[in-house]
Amino acid sequence: MYIDVTLHRYHSVPKFFITGLIMLLIFISSRIGNQFYSIDTKGETITFETKNIGFFSFINSKTNKIDLPKYKLINYEYHKGLISKELVFYINSKNKVNLSKTRFRLAFISEQDMDNIINELEQIVKTNRLVKNNLEVSI
């Protein structure tokens, strides 16, 4: 579709450069992370959901969602990169390792929203550690 435009308007721009630029934009858009997120920590469960919206949502249209009891959250990590942000949950599970890791790639989240999410998760993790330490002392 862009070949006709380049033939008549942009004689000095090579076609492979435009193709490479389009492919680079698609790659960056797919790696940047999910644009929509929602978190609900009220009650006894944590519900965290991310999904792609926008022009390149057809590349990764899968919704990432986790719904778990608060007592199963052991720890979390927040990584801030150049292009995207990543939130990693460490969850107590019944596997041989007793630990499961869930990653969420995020993008376009303001620092204030991210601070709110981190504060809520920090309160949950502190409460879980306190309960675990009290149980170990009472046994």
Side-chain angles (χ1 to χ4, degrees):
M1 183 162 77
Y2 69 88
I3 293 174
D4 291 335
V5 174
T6 59
L7 289 176
H8 300 294
R9 288 193 169 170
Y10 307 106
H11 296 289
S12 61
V13 179
K15 294 176 189 172
F16 68 88
F17 178 75
I18 295 173
T19 305
L21 183 65
I22 291 171
M23 296 302 288
L24 180 67
L25 287 174
I26 290 172
F27 176 75
I28 288 174
S29 175
S30 69
R31 303 313 290 161
I32 203 166
N34 297 323
Q35 291 87 12
F36 173 79
Y37 77 96
S38 69
I39 186 167
D40 181 23
T41 58
K42 299 198 179 1
E44 295 294 321
T45 61
I46 301 170
T47 304
F48 194 78
E49 176 184 8
T50 62
K51 65 181 170 181
N52 271 341
I53 56 174
F55 184 68
F56 291 115
S57 63
F58 65 90
I59 294 173
N60 185 10
S61 61
K62 181 181 162 188
T63 300
N64 296 331
K65 184 176 180 179
I66 189 168
D67 189 16
L68 66 130
K70 285 184 179 181
Y71 67 88
K72 287 195 171 200
L73 183 67
I74 295 173
N75 201 0
Y76 70 93
E77 288 181 358
Y78 170 62
H79 304 285
K80 184 176 180 182
L82 291 174
I83 297 177
S84 69
K85 301 166 189 159
E86 185 177 57
L87 190 61
V88 181
F89 291 139
Y90 293 99
I91 303 165
N92 188 10
S93 66
K94 303 256 179 184
N95 295 342
K96 292 179 182 178
V97 180
N98 286 338
L99 188 67
S100 142
K101 186 164 53 167
T102 306
R103 296 175 187 246
F104 291 97
R105 288 184 312 158
L106 305 169
F108 306 113
I109 294 179
S110 68
E111 290 299 320
Q112 182 181 4
D113 289 342
M114 201 64 217
D115 288 341
N116 291 339
I117 291 171
I118 289 174
N119 287 335
E120 289 181 20
L121 292 175
E122 187 65 35
Q123 289 175 355
I124 293 168
V125 169
K126 280 183 182 178
T127 304
N128 289 345
R129 286 182 187 153
L130 183 64
V131 167
K132 182 180 176 185
N133 290 339
N134 286 341
L135 285 175
E136 288 177 357
V137 169
S138 65
I139 295 176

